[in-house]
Amino acid sequence: MSTMKTPRRLMLGLLSAGLMALLMSCGGGGGGSASNLGLGTGTAIGGDSPSGAGTGSGGDSTGSGAGTGGSGDTASNGNTDGSGVGSGGTGVTADAAGIGAADGLGSIILNGLRYDTATATITVEDATALQIGMSARVAGKVDSDFTRGIATQVVSGAELRGAVSRIDVGAGSFVVMGISVSIDAATVWADASGLASVADGSLIQVWGLPGAPGTLRATRVQIAPTLTAPLVTGAIENLDATNQTFTLGQLTVSYGGASFAGIDASSLANGVIVRARGTAAPVGSAFTATKVEGWYAIPVSNGIALQLAGVITDFASRGAFEVLGTPVDATNALITGGPVGSLGNGVKVEVDGFMSGGVLVVKKLRIRHVPGTGGPASFTLIGAIGGYQSLAYFRVQGQPVDASGSGTVFENGTAANLANGQRVTVVGDRVVDGVLIAQRVTFTP
């Protein structure tokens, strides 16, 4: 037995050394630029204000750093070159991009990884501020274990806005603008208690993660959006460059008179994910786009660190599937959240790894939802309490919180310590009617 293990250990050691060398070699550039993100002018928001997100690009206005004081749970704010990620300003960093849904605020937690946004530019479209459950793209640097990050840029925009139809509460699905939308336990309900509160034919807005063509996994749903202009996102099918049309799900989009952002007409191709915006609702299945935007740009440069959250498609094996249209190899990944055998098409995952030859070679994979089985949901807020009214209603990072449940656990203090200005970390498993239901509240210095 020992004679078989020794060569394997030697190989693992060589692979580890090679990965470390790769990480050390990719310290500059390559994280993507604003011009590739496919989003128009939005609202820049700030960070840790008791009254919620403010304007500007600043971060934590109520405390030093983006973390929890001197506990070591913070990425260094002082080094924009990425040399200081992690406690004490140490750690190997790599140029990185993350695409997924915001799991938390303070600064921003994306796919379970907390990015310090003290020096980041944050641009939000289709909403006034970045909120839990919104899809987003983060560019910056991360440490080698995907535990800390420093963001230079955060952008977010909605995926769908239009009339809802074909609501199936039992199946957890509905259709908007020709796109079939599914929900899961991690779907955030901004102003409703759930799918049963959605009325057929009403205008709604959805943030989500594209899956197979014509499908979307909703990460946040707003049933009374302030904006009304129609919006649809999906993977292009049936591209007809001559007639300047393509289909998104069941919708035929005409783009002949459209402007372009983050992509141009010559770059359109089947399988490319785009946002199509218009001024008038579809007529039947025909939609006239006034603007076509590239969806969040996914970098392909060798060595770049990449985080993706999405639904598995084109599954052949653990070493060959796609997430958000990106080829993935998770052969040697650490897999958590469920059994390896549950991986397959339709499974929602988060993957962290490094690009190599156009393939995301995964270091960590977290299973977030398995159809018919379910999966874990967790949201985190880090910051100072504001707008305190009662145990059942206060705000952190502008997000309403209810900590009145009998099962809520308080650490480093009690419910009596809740007060405006008190810094806390709040963890909950669902957002209902816009309120995070707290499971744990930890008081921090």
Side-chain angles (χ1 to χ4, degrees):
M1 182 68 72
S2 61
T3 59
M4 294 296 291
K5 287 184 177 180
T6 300
R8 184 173 184 270
R9 287 173 178 163
L10 178 59
M11 181 176 292
L12 288 174
L14 291 172
L15 288 172
S16 177
L19 177 59
M20 191 62 69
L22 174 63
L23 283 168
M24 295 181 70
S25 70
C26 56
S33 65
S35 62
N36 291 329
L37 300 178
L39 291 179
T41 302
T43 302
I45 68 171
D48 193 2
S49 166
S51 62
T55 59
S57 60
D60 189 348
S61 64
T62 63
S64 59
T68 55
S71 66
D73 187 34
T74 174
S76 169
N77 289 337
N79 298 313
T80 58
D81 65 355
S83 62
V85 178
S87 177
T90 61
V92 180
T93 64
D95 293 314
I99 299 172
D103 301 316
L105 304 174
S107 297
I108 180 175
I109 301 170
L110 190 80
N111 307 340
L113 191 154
R114 184 180 177 192
Y115 291 86
D116 177 356
T117 58
T119 59
T121 299
I122 304 178
T123 305
V124 179
E125 197 168 17
D126 306 304
T128 57
L130 186 67
Q131 296 173 301
I132 290 176
M134 288 183 177
S135 61
R137 183 190 193 274
V138 178
K141 292 181 181 293
V142 298
D143 66 4
S144 59
D145 291 323
F146 291 91
T147 57
R148 303 286 189 275
I150 295 177
T152 57
Q153 186 181 68
V154 181
V155 293
S156 177
E159 272 64 48
L160 291 173
R161 186 167 54 244
V164 62
S165 64
R166 295 167 56 184
I167 299 171
D168 188 333
V169 175
S173 66
F174 54 93
V175 173
V176 175
M177 297 280 287
I179 301 296
S180 179
V181 183
S182 61
I183 63 172
D184 59 35
T187 300
V188 171
W189 293 94
D191 51 2
S193 58
L195 187 54
S197 300
V198 180
D200 189 77
S202 62
L203 180 70
I204 69 171
Q205 183 163 280
V206 181
W207 289 261
L209 302 172
T215 68
L216 188 80
R217 181 66 57 86
T219 56
R220 183 181 177 92
V221 178
Q222 184 179 13
I223 66 170
T226 55
L227 301 176
T228 60
L231 161 67
V232 60
T233 300
I236 291 174
E237 294 182 284
N238 304 310
L239 177 65
D240 184 342
T242 301
N243 293 308
Q244 296 183 302
T245 63
F246 54 77
T247 59
L248 298 179
Q250 303 163 23
L251 207 61
T252 299
V253 179
S254 298
Y255 64 87
S259 62
F260 287 82
I263 195 171
D264 54 45
S266 63
S267 299
L268 297 178
N270 288 328
V272 172
I273 302 174
V274 295
R275 284 183 175 92
R277 298 179 182 271
T279 56
V283 177
S285 61
F287 178 60
T288 300
T290 55
K291 186 175 185 179
V292 177
E293 301 172 341
W295 198 64
Y296 303 123
I298 300 176
V300 296
S301 301
N302 285 341
I304 195 166
L306 183 61
Q307 276 195 299
L308 295 180
V311 177
I312 291 176
T313 59
D314 298 322
F315 183 86
S317 68
R318 176 176 171 178
F321 58 91
E322 292 190 357
V323 174
L324 299 180
T326 301
V328 174
D329 179 356
T331 302
N332 297 311
L334 172 65
I335 296 177
T336 59
V340 174
S342 65
L343 293 177
N345 289 330
V347 175
K348 183 181 175 184
V349 295
E350 296 171 346
V351 288
D352 305 337
F354 297 87
M355 291 300 295
S356 177
V359 177
L360 177 58
V361 180
V362 176
K363 185 173 183 178
K364 295 180 180 179
L365 182 151
R366 294 172 295 283
I367 297 171
R368 294 297 301 269
H369 182 85
V370 178
T373 301
S378 181
F379 306 103
T380 303
L381 301 172
I382 303 173
I385 292 174
Y388 181 83
Q389 296 181 15
S390 68
L391 185 63
Y393 189 91
F394 56 92
R395 290 176 179 267
V396 178
Q397 296 287 350
Q399 169 66 48
V401 177
D402 180 354
S404 64
S406 59
T408 304
V409 174
F410 292 89
E411 298 177 342
N412 301 332
T414 69
N417 298 119
L418 294 174
N420 287 332
Q422 172 66 59
R423 292 186 62 83
V424 293
T425 297
V426 180
V427 177
D429 65 346
R430 65 193 188 281
V431 178
V432 180
D433 280 319
V435 179
L436 176 65
I437 309 303
Q439 295 172 299
R440 185 174 72 252
V441 178
T442 303
F443 294 89
T444 58

